[in-house]
Amino acid sequence: MLSKAQVVYLHEVIAPHAAPMLSLYLDVNLANPDNSGKAYVLRAKEAMERLGVPQALARKVLERLQHYIPQGRTRALFVAEDLFEDYHLQVELPLLEPRAGVEAHWGAPYLAPLLLALDEYERYGVVHMDQEHLRLFEVFLGEIEEVADAFRLLDTHNWRHLGEDRTGTPGRSASPNASDVGVPARGGSGKDHFRRRVDEWSLRFFREAGVLLQQQVGERGLQRLILLGVPEEARQALPQPVAEKVVAVLPPLHTSNPSPAEILKAVAPTIEQVERRGEEALLLEVREKGVGGLDHVLNLLQEGRLQYVLVPWHLQEKAWRCPDGWVGISPQAAQTHCPGQRVEEVEFKRVLPELAAQFGSRLEFVRAEAEQRLLSELGGLAGMPRW
Protein backbone atom coordinates (compact mmCIF):
# COMPACT_ATOMS: atom_id res chain seq x y z
CA MET A 1 0.00 0.00 0.00
CA LEU A 2 1.33 3.43 -0.93
CA SER A 3 2.28 5.27 2.25
CA LYS A 4 1.64 8.94 2.88
CA ALA A 5 5.38 9.55 2.48
CA GLN A 6 5.36 7.89 -0.94
CA VAL A 7 2.38 9.97 -2.06
CA VAL A 8 4.18 13.15 -0.97
CA TYR A 9 7.29 11.99 -2.84
CA LEU A 10 5.27 11.47 -6.02
CA HIS A 11 3.90 14.99 -5.86
CA GLU A 12 6.98 16.83 -4.65
CA VAL A 13 9.91 14.98 -6.25
CA ILE A 14 8.83 12.89 -9.23
CA ALA A 15 6.11 15.09 -10.75
CA PRO A 16 8.28 18.25 -10.98
CA HIS A 17 11.46 16.35 -11.95
CA ALA A 18 13.29 17.81 -14.92
CA ALA A 19 12.89 16.12 -18.31
CA PRO A 20 13.76 13.74 -19.76
CA MET A 21 12.17 11.01 -17.68
CA LEU A 22 10.79 7.63 -18.69
CA SER A 23 7.24 7.10 -17.45
CA LEU A 24 6.37 3.46 -18.05
CA TYR A 25 3.06 1.77 -17.25
CA LEU A 26 2.77 -2.01 -17.69
CA ASP A 27 -0.01 -4.53 -17.37
CA VAL A 28 1.75 -7.29 -15.40
CA ASN A 29 -1.33 -9.17 -14.21
CA LEU A 30 -0.31 -12.84 -14.25
CA ALA A 31 -3.97 -13.81 -14.69
CA ASN A 32 -3.80 -12.20 -18.13
CA PRO A 33 -2.67 -14.84 -20.66
CA ASP A 34 -1.02 -12.10 -22.72
CA ASN A 35 1.55 -11.79 -19.92
CA SER A 36 2.70 -15.40 -19.97
CA GLY A 37 6.43 -15.84 -20.29
CA LYS A 38 7.01 -12.27 -19.11
CA ALA A 39 5.71 -10.89 -22.40
CA TYR A 40 5.40 -7.51 -20.72
CA VAL A 41 9.22 -7.28 -20.75
CA LEU A 42 9.23 -7.49 -24.54
CA ARG A 43 6.46 -4.88 -24.76
CA ALA A 44 8.48 -2.54 -22.54
CA LYS A 45 11.61 -3.08 -24.65
CA GLU A 46 9.77 -2.31 -27.89
CA ALA A 47 8.11 0.78 -26.41
CA MET A 48 11.44 2.19 -25.20
CA GLU A 49 13.03 1.55 -28.60
CA ARG A 50 10.22 3.45 -30.34
CA LEU A 51 10.75 6.40 -28.02
CA GLY A 52 14.53 6.46 -28.39
CA VAL A 53 15.20 5.96 -24.67
CA PRO A 54 18.99 5.87 -24.09
CA GLN A 55 20.28 2.31 -24.13
CA ALA A 56 21.96 2.47 -20.73
CA LEU A 57 18.75 3.60 -19.06
CA ALA A 58 16.66 1.08 -21.00
CA ARG A 59 18.98 -1.73 -19.87
CA LYS A 60 18.45 -0.74 -16.22
CA VAL A 61 14.70 -0.94 -16.71
CA LEU A 62 14.80 -4.31 -18.49
CA GLU A 63 17.07 -5.80 -15.84
CA ARG A 64 14.61 -4.74 -13.15
CA LEU A 65 11.68 -6.21 -15.05
CA GLN A 66 13.49 -9.49 -15.70
CA HIS A 67 14.51 -10.12 -12.10
CA TYR A 68 11.53 -8.88 -10.09
CA ILE A 69 8.38 -11.01 -9.96
CA PRO A 70 5.20 -8.96 -10.51
CA GLN A 71 3.20 -8.44 -7.33
CA GLY A 72 0.08 -6.81 -8.71
CA ARG A 73 -1.90 -5.91 -11.80
CA THR A 74 -0.15 -2.71 -12.89
CA ARG A 75 3.45 -1.62 -12.64
CA ALA A 76 4.47 2.03 -12.87
CA LEU A 77 8.12 2.99 -13.30
CA PHE A 78 9.59 6.48 -13.36
CA VAL A 79 13.22 6.48 -14.42
CA ALA A 80 15.77 9.22 -15.07
CA GLU A 81 19.55 9.44 -14.81
CA ASP A 82 19.30 10.22 -11.09
CA LEU A 83 16.05 8.48 -10.18
CA PHE A 84 14.48 5.00 -10.35
CA GLU A 85 11.04 4.51 -8.82
CA ASP A 86 9.08 1.27 -9.24
CA TYR A 87 5.48 0.90 -7.99
CA HIS A 88 3.50 -2.34 -7.88
CA LEU A 89 -0.26 -1.72 -7.85
CA GLN A 90 -3.18 -4.07 -7.31
CA VAL A 91 -5.54 -2.00 -9.47
CA GLU A 92 -5.93 -0.70 -12.99
CA LEU A 93 -5.20 2.97 -13.58
CA PRO A 94 -7.39 5.46 -15.45
CA LEU A 95 -6.47 6.89 -18.86
CA LEU A 96 -4.42 3.86 -19.92
CA GLU A 97 -5.31 1.74 -22.95
CA PRO A 98 -5.96 -1.74 -21.51
CA ARG A 99 -5.50 -3.66 -24.76
CA ALA A 100 -2.04 -2.25 -25.38
CA GLY A 101 -0.57 -3.67 -22.19
CA VAL A 102 2.05 -0.92 -22.10
CA GLU A 103 2.22 2.84 -22.20
CA ALA A 104 5.49 4.72 -22.23
CA HIS A 105 6.43 8.41 -22.32
CA TRP A 106 9.90 9.90 -22.70
CA GLY A 107 10.21 13.54 -21.80
CA ALA A 108 8.31 15.38 -19.10
CA PRO A 109 7.08 13.13 -16.26
CA TYR A 110 3.67 11.62 -16.94
CA LEU A 111 2.14 10.80 -13.56
CA ALA A 112 -1.49 11.63 -14.34
CA PRO A 113 -2.80 8.02 -14.34
CA LEU A 114 -1.22 7.27 -10.97
CA LEU A 115 -2.01 10.60 -9.30
CA LEU A 116 -5.60 10.51 -10.55
CA ALA A 117 -5.98 6.97 -9.20
CA LEU A 118 -4.90 8.23 -5.78
CA ASP A 119 -7.78 10.71 -5.93
CA GLU A 120 -10.27 8.35 -7.58
CA TYR A 121 -9.97 5.32 -5.31
CA GLU A 122 -11.53 5.82 -1.88
CA ARG A 123 -9.82 4.86 1.35
CA TYR A 124 -11.97 2.35 3.21
CA GLY A 125 -11.85 1.46 6.86
CA VAL A 126 -13.03 -2.04 7.76
CA VAL A 127 -13.99 -2.75 11.38
CA HIS A 128 -14.13 -6.44 12.29
CA MET A 129 -15.66 -7.53 15.59
CA ASP A 130 -16.11 -10.97 17.08
CA GLN A 131 -16.32 -12.35 20.61
CA GLU A 132 -12.61 -11.93 21.24
CA HIS A 133 -11.31 -9.22 18.89
CA LEU A 134 -12.00 -5.70 17.74
CA ARG A 135 -9.79 -4.79 14.76
CA LEU A 136 -9.46 -2.04 12.17
CA PHE A 137 -8.12 -2.41 8.63
CA GLU A 138 -7.42 0.11 5.89
CA VAL A 139 -8.16 -0.81 2.27
CA PHE A 140 -6.80 1.36 -0.53
CA LEU A 141 -5.84 0.71 -4.14
CA GLY A 142 -6.77 -2.95 -3.80
CA GLU A 143 -4.47 -3.53 -0.84
CA ILE A 144 -5.20 -4.04 2.84
CA GLU A 145 -3.26 -3.23 5.98
CA GLU A 146 -4.24 -3.78 9.59
CA VAL A 147 -4.07 -0.69 11.78
CA ALA A 148 -2.07 -2.05 14.68
CA ASP A 149 -3.29 -1.06 18.16
CA ALA A 150 -6.17 1.00 16.77
CA PHE A 151 -8.18 0.18 19.88
CA ARG A 152 -5.28 -0.27 22.29
CA LEU A 153 -6.81 2.10 24.86
CA LEU A 154 -9.89 -0.11 25.26
CA ASP A 155 -10.19 -2.76 27.96
CA THR A 156 -10.54 -5.79 25.70
CA HIS A 157 -8.82 -8.30 28.00
CA ASN A 158 -12.00 -10.32 28.45
CA TRP A 159 -13.61 -9.35 25.16
CA ARG A 160 -15.01 -12.86 24.75
CA HIS A 161 -17.47 -12.24 27.60
CA LEU A 162 -19.40 -9.81 25.41
CA GLY A 163 -20.55 -12.91 23.52
CA GLU A 164 -21.77 -14.72 26.62
CA ASP A 165 -25.21 -14.67 28.21
CA ARG A 166 -26.19 -11.43 29.89
CA THR A 167 -27.57 -13.59 32.70
CA GLY A 168 -24.20 -15.27 33.15
CA THR A 169 -24.80 -18.43 31.08
CA PRO A 170 -22.77 -19.19 27.93
CA GLY A 171 -24.13 -17.78 24.71
CA ARG A 172 -24.49 -14.04 25.14
CA SER A 173 -22.60 -11.54 27.31
CA ALA A 174 -21.48 -11.12 30.87
CA SER A 175 -19.31 -8.18 31.80
CA PRO A 176 -15.57 -8.64 31.45
CA ASN A 177 -15.17 -6.61 34.65
CA ALA A 178 -17.00 -8.24 37.56
CA SER A 179 -16.08 -5.44 39.95
CA ASP A 180 -17.69 -2.93 37.62
CA VAL A 181 -20.87 -4.83 36.84
CA GLY A 182 -21.41 -7.19 39.72
CA VAL A 183 -22.17 -10.88 40.04
CA PRO A 184 -24.98 -12.27 37.87
CA ALA A 185 -28.19 -12.88 39.74
CA ARG A 186 -30.36 -15.91 39.17
CA GLY A 187 -33.66 -14.14 38.62
CA GLY A 188 -36.12 -11.42 39.57
CA SER A 189 -35.11 -7.83 40.17
CA GLY A 190 -31.51 -8.84 40.76
CA LYS A 191 -31.35 -10.36 37.31
CA ASP A 192 -32.88 -7.23 35.76
CA HIS A 193 -30.41 -5.05 37.63
CA PHE A 194 -27.51 -7.16 36.42
CA ARG A 195 -28.74 -6.92 32.85
CA ARG A 196 -28.96 -3.14 33.09
CA ARG A 197 -25.43 -2.96 34.48
CA VAL A 198 -24.12 -5.09 31.63
CA ASP A 199 -26.00 -2.97 29.09
CA GLU A 200 -24.50 0.17 30.61
CA TRP A 201 -21.00 -1.30 30.49
CA SER A 202 -21.47 -2.42 26.89
CA LEU A 203 -22.76 1.00 25.83
CA ARG A 204 -19.82 2.74 27.50
CA PHE A 205 -17.42 0.33 25.83
CA PHE A 206 -18.94 0.90 22.40
CA ARG A 207 -18.90 4.67 22.83
CA GLU A 208 -15.21 4.59 23.74
CA ALA A 209 -14.55 2.39 20.72
CA GLY A 210 -16.45 4.89 18.54
CA VAL A 211 -14.30 7.77 19.78
CA LEU A 212 -11.11 5.85 19.00
CA LEU A 213 -12.47 4.93 15.59
CA GLN A 214 -13.25 8.59 14.88
CA GLN A 215 -9.63 9.47 15.68
CA GLN A 216 -8.35 6.83 13.26
CA VAL A 217 -10.76 7.98 10.54
CA GLY A 218 -9.40 11.51 10.82
CA GLU A 219 -5.72 10.59 11.09
CA ARG A 220 -5.77 8.13 8.18
CA GLY A 221 -8.22 10.00 5.96
CA LEU A 222 -10.69 7.10 5.77
CA GLN A 223 -13.57 8.12 3.55
CA ARG A 224 -15.88 5.11 3.88
CA LEU A 225 -16.42 2.41 6.49
CA ILE A 226 -17.53 -1.22 6.29
CA LEU A 227 -18.56 -2.98 9.50
CA LEU A 228 -18.07 -6.74 9.85
CA GLY A 229 -19.89 -8.42 12.74
CA VAL A 230 -20.58 -5.15 14.56
CA PRO A 231 -23.83 -5.43 16.58
CA GLU A 232 -26.61 -2.89 16.33
CA GLU A 233 -25.95 -1.46 19.80
CA ALA A 234 -22.35 -0.73 18.80
CA ARG A 235 -23.45 0.91 15.55
CA GLN A 236 -25.88 3.15 17.44
CA ALA A 237 -23.04 4.28 19.72
CA LEU A 238 -20.89 5.55 16.84
CA PRO A 239 -20.30 9.32 16.71
CA GLN A 240 -22.40 10.91 13.99
CA PRO A 241 -19.42 11.84 11.73
CA VAL A 242 -18.34 8.19 11.83
CA ALA A 243 -21.82 6.73 11.36
CA GLU A 244 -22.27 8.85 8.23
CA LYS A 245 -19.27 7.12 6.62
CA VAL A 246 -20.70 3.61 7.04
CA VAL A 247 -21.61 2.25 3.59
CA ALA A 248 -22.13 -1.43 4.42
CA VAL A 249 -22.78 -3.72 7.39
CA LEU A 250 -21.76 -7.36 6.90
CA PRO A 251 -21.88 -10.44 9.16
CA PRO A 252 -18.68 -11.54 10.92
CA LEU A 253 -16.39 -14.03 9.25
CA HIS A 254 -16.63 -17.59 10.50
CA THR A 255 -12.84 -17.82 10.61
CA SER A 256 -11.38 -17.19 14.05
CA ASN A 257 -9.08 -14.16 14.01
CA PRO A 258 -9.12 -13.83 10.15
CA SER A 259 -6.05 -12.65 8.28
CA PRO A 260 -5.99 -9.34 6.39
CA ALA A 261 -6.21 -11.32 3.12
CA GLU A 262 -9.39 -13.02 4.33
CA ILE A 263 -10.86 -9.67 5.34
CA LEU A 264 -10.05 -8.20 1.92
CA LYS A 265 -11.64 -11.14 0.13
CA ALA A 266 -14.80 -10.67 2.20
CA VAL A 267 -15.20 -6.95 1.56
CA ALA A 268 -13.88 -6.63 -2.01
CA PRO A 269 -17.24 -7.38 -3.71
CA THR A 270 -18.97 -4.85 -1.46
CA ILE A 271 -16.38 -2.18 -2.24
CA GLU A 272 -16.89 -2.82 -5.96
CA GLN A 273 -20.67 -2.45 -5.57
CA VAL A 274 -20.33 0.75 -3.56
CA GLU A 275 -17.99 2.27 -6.13
CA ARG A 276 -20.28 1.41 -9.04
CA ARG A 277 -23.32 2.83 -7.19
CA GLY A 278 -21.42 6.06 -6.62
CA GLU A 279 -20.58 6.35 -10.31
CA GLU A 280 -24.18 5.65 -11.29
CA ALA A 281 -25.36 8.35 -8.89
CA LEU A 282 -23.01 10.90 -10.46
CA LEU A 283 -24.16 9.88 -13.92
CA LEU A 284 -27.81 10.30 -12.93
CA GLU A 285 -27.12 13.69 -11.40
CA VAL A 286 -25.39 14.93 -14.53
CA ARG A 287 -28.15 13.59 -16.77
CA GLU A 288 -30.73 15.53 -14.74
CA LYS A 289 -28.86 18.78 -14.11
CA GLY A 290 -25.65 18.78 -16.14
CA VAL A 291 -24.32 19.02 -19.69
CA GLY A 292 -22.79 16.53 -22.12
CA GLY A 293 -20.73 16.34 -25.28
CA LEU A 294 -16.96 16.51 -25.76
CA ASP A 295 -16.81 19.91 -27.40
CA HIS A 296 -19.43 21.59 -25.21
CA VAL A 297 -18.04 20.28 -21.93
CA LEU A 298 -14.47 21.11 -22.90
CA ASN A 299 -15.45 24.70 -23.69
CA LEU A 300 -17.33 25.13 -20.41
CA LEU A 301 -14.40 23.64 -18.52
CA GLN A 302 -12.01 26.24 -19.99
CA GLU A 303 -14.46 29.00 -19.11
CA GLY A 304 -14.27 27.90 -15.46
CA ARG A 305 -17.96 27.02 -15.36
CA LEU A 306 -17.88 23.37 -14.22
CA GLN A 307 -17.76 21.90 -10.72
CA TYR A 308 -16.70 18.48 -11.97
CA VAL A 309 -16.32 16.53 -15.20
CA LEU A 310 -17.33 12.91 -15.73
CA VAL A 311 -14.60 11.15 -17.69
CA PRO A 312 -14.47 7.63 -19.18
CA TRP A 313 -11.91 5.40 -17.49
CA HIS A 314 -10.29 4.84 -20.91
CA LEU A 315 -9.95 8.15 -22.74
CA GLN A 316 -8.30 7.91 -26.15
CA GLU A 317 -9.42 11.01 -28.06
CA LYS A 318 -7.00 13.48 -29.58
CA ALA A 319 -7.17 17.22 -29.07
CA TRP A 320 -5.60 20.35 -30.55
CA ARG A 321 -4.07 23.21 -28.60
CA CYS A 322 -3.68 26.85 -29.46
CA PRO A 323 -0.45 28.74 -28.69
CA ASP A 324 -2.15 30.34 -25.66
CA GLY A 325 -3.12 26.93 -24.24
CA TRP A 326 -6.78 26.78 -25.31
CA VAL A 327 -7.74 23.22 -26.27
CA GLY A 328 -10.29 22.11 -28.86
CA ILE A 329 -11.54 18.65 -29.70
CA SER A 330 -10.74 19.21 -33.41
CA PRO A 331 -8.39 21.48 -35.38
CA GLN A 332 -11.38 23.54 -36.47
CA ALA A 333 -12.63 23.93 -32.89
CA ALA A 334 -9.23 25.10 -31.71
CA GLN A 335 -8.79 27.55 -34.59
CA THR A 336 -12.14 29.10 -33.79
CA HIS A 337 -10.44 30.35 -30.65
CA CYS A 338 -7.11 31.25 -32.31
CA PRO A 339 -7.88 31.92 -36.01
CA GLY A 340 -4.91 31.92 -38.32
CA GLN A 341 -2.54 30.47 -35.72
CA ARG A 342 -0.88 27.08 -35.79
CA VAL A 343 -2.52 24.48 -33.52
CA GLU A 344 -0.68 21.54 -31.98
CA GLU A 345 -2.07 18.01 -31.80
CA VAL A 346 -1.98 16.67 -28.23
CA GLU A 347 -3.29 13.67 -26.30
CA PHE A 348 -6.57 14.65 -24.71
CA LYS A 349 -5.89 12.46 -21.67
CA ARG A 350 -2.68 14.38 -20.98
CA VAL A 351 -4.12 17.88 -21.22
CA LEU A 352 -7.49 17.24 -19.54
CA PRO A 353 -6.04 16.85 -16.00
CA GLU A 354 -4.01 20.02 -16.52
CA LEU A 355 -7.10 21.96 -17.61
CA ALA A 356 -9.15 20.67 -14.68
CA ALA A 357 -6.47 21.79 -12.23
CA GLN A 358 -6.08 25.16 -13.97
CA PHE A 359 -9.80 25.97 -13.82
CA GLY A 360 -10.59 24.47 -10.43
CA SER A 361 -12.73 21.54 -11.57
CA ARG A 362 -12.37 17.98 -10.40
CA LEU A 363 -12.36 14.89 -12.58
CA GLU A 364 -14.67 11.98 -11.74
CA PHE A 365 -13.90 8.76 -13.63
CA VAL A 366 -16.54 6.16 -14.43
CA ARG A 367 -16.05 2.52 -15.35
CA ALA A 368 -17.96 -0.52 -16.58
CA GLU A 369 -21.62 0.14 -17.41
CA ALA A 370 -21.47 3.77 -16.32
CA GLU A 371 -18.59 4.36 -18.75
CA GLN A 372 -20.57 2.88 -21.61
CA ARG A 373 -23.57 5.04 -20.78
CA LEU A 374 -21.39 8.13 -20.63
CA LEU A 375 -20.11 7.34 -24.11
CA SER A 376 -23.44 6.40 -25.66
CA GLU A 377 -25.84 8.78 -23.92
CA LEU A 378 -23.80 11.86 -23.00
CA GLY A 379 -21.31 12.14 -25.84
CA GLY A 380 -18.23 10.82 -24.06
CA LEU A 381 -17.80 13.67 -21.56
CA ALA A 382 -20.21 15.32 -19.14
CA GLY A 383 -20.07 18.01 -16.52
CA MET A 384 -21.94 19.66 -13.67
CA PRO A 385 -22.15 23.46 -14.01
CA ARG A 386 -21.44 25.82 -11.14
CA TRP A 387 -24.66 27.50 -10.15
Side-chain angles (χ1 to χ4, degrees):
M1 182 181 295
L2 285 176
S3 66
K4 289 184 178 180
Q6 287 176 307
V7 174
V8 170
Y9 187 81
L10 283 167
H11 283 280
E12 296 185 356
V13 178
I14 301 180
H17 192 283
M21 173 185 287
L22 173 67
S23 305
L24 179 65
Y25 296 91
L26 287 170
D27 174 359
V28 294
N29 187 357
L30 294 180
N32 182 354
D34 291 339
N35 289 327
S36 61
K38 293 189 176 180
Y40 53 84
V41 178
L42 177 59
R43 289 196 291 269
K45 180 176 184 292
E46 293 173 345
M48 289 188 289
E49 288 175 350
R50 286 195 301 270
L51 292 172
V53 175
Q55 291 186 1
L57 191 145
R59 279 196 300 270
K60 289 170 57 178
V61 172
L62 294 175
E63 288 173 5
R64 175 69 67 94
L65 295 176
Q66 286 282 7
H67 293 98
Y68 282 70
I69 299 174
Q71 301 172 10
R73 300 175 66 178
T74 305
R75 199 161 172 181
L77 296 93
F78 305 100
V79 186
E81 291 297 332
D82 60 343
L83 180 145
F84 198 119
E85 292 294 318
D86 187 359
Y87 298 91
H88 299 251
L89 306 164
Q90 299 294 335
V91 295
E92 295 179 354
L93 302 183
L95 303 180
L96 302 181
E97 171 53 57
R99 291 179 294 275
V102 61
E103 185 161 328
H105 296 264
W106 175 246
Y110 180 52
L111 273 72
L114 180 53
L115 297 181
L116 288 170
L118 294 176
D119 291 333
E120 182 68 18
Y121 284 95
E122 303 281 359
R123 288 186 182 271
Y124 282 76
V126 179
V127 179
H128 183 262
M129 182 182 292
D130 58 27
Q131 291 183 5
E132 297 185 6
H133 305 96
L134 178 61
R135 304 163 70 191
L136 175 64
F137 302 83
E138 179 180 347
V139 177
F140 182 56
L141 292 177
E143 299 184 67
I144 188 168
E145 177 181 286
E146 183 165 8
V147 182
D149 298 326
F151 300 105
R152 66 185 180 280
L153 299 181
L154 287 177
D155 176 15
T156 56
H157 178 65
N158 291 311
W159 176 254
R160 64 183 180 277
H161 293 295
L162 285 179
E164 296 176 1
D165 196 302
R166 292 181 187 276
T167 63
T169 59
R172 296 186 59 190
S173 75
S175 169
N177 190 333
S179 64
D180 183 40
V181 178
V183 179
R186 292 185 178 275
S189 61
K191 178 179 178 179
D192 293 339
H193 177 69
F194 174 75
R195 186 186 295 273
R196 287 195 300 272
R197 294 290 298 276
V198 172
D199 289 343
E200 291 171 1
W201 187 92
S202 298
L203 181 59
R204 184 167 69 248
F205 181 92
F206 291 140
R207 283 176 175 168
E208 292 174 357
V211 170
L212 293 176
L213 179 58
Q214 185 172 10
Q215 292 175 356
Q216 292 291 340
V217 166
E219 290 175 5
R220 304 183 78 87
L222 303 179
Q223 296 150 307
R224 293 173 177 169
L225 291 173
I226 296 175
L227 307 181
L228 284 173
V230 178
E232 177 62 25
E233 57 186 327
R235 301 199 294 269
Q236 291 179 354
L238 291 174
Q240 187 63 27
V242 176
E244 291 173 351
K245 293 183 180 294
V246 176
V247 295
V249 179
L250 304 176
L253 301 188
H254 297 301
T255 305
S256 176
N257 199 23
S259 68
E262 291 171 317
I263 294 289
L264 180 59
K265 182 178 180 180
V267 301
T270 298
I271 290 176
E272 183 72 15
Q273 293 170 7
V274 171
E275 294 293 320
R276 298 294 81 76
R277 286 200 301 267
E279 293 173 3
E280 289 290 345
L282 283 174
L283 193 64
L284 179 61
E285 182 179 38
V286 168
R287 288 187 63 179
E288 292 178 348
K289 304 176 183 178
V291 294
L294 282 169
D295 193 52
H296 186 42
V297 171
L298 184 56
N299 287 338
L300 291 178
L301 172 63
Q302 294 176 100
E303 294 169 4
R305 295 169 60 185
L306 296 180
Q307 300 176 47
Y308 64 83
V309 179
L310 286 190
V311 185
W313 194 254
H314 305 112
L315 185 65
Q316 303 301 320
E317 283 78 6
K318 295 290 185 180
W320 283 261
R321 183 167 52 193
C322 289
D324 66 357
W326 181 275
V327 176
I329 205 63
S330 68
Q332 296 78 16
Q335 287 177 339
T336 299
H337 176 79
C338 54
Q341 299 184 48
R342 184 175 179 273
V343 296
E344 171 194 14
E345 183 178 340
V346 292
E347 290 183 273
F348 192 26
K349 64 184 181 182
R350 295 205 65 166
V351 298
L352 183 59
E354 298 171 2
L355 293 175
Q358 180 181 350
F359 293 99
S361 300
R362 73 179 192 271
L363 300 182
E364 296 282 356
F365 289 88
V366 294
R367 287 161 278 187
E369 183 179 345
E371 179 177 14
Q372 296 306 313
R373 291 174 59 193
L374 175 61
L375 295 170
S376 62
E377 300 173 14
L378 291 169
L381 209 62
M384 179 61 65
R386 293 189 170 102
W387 301 108

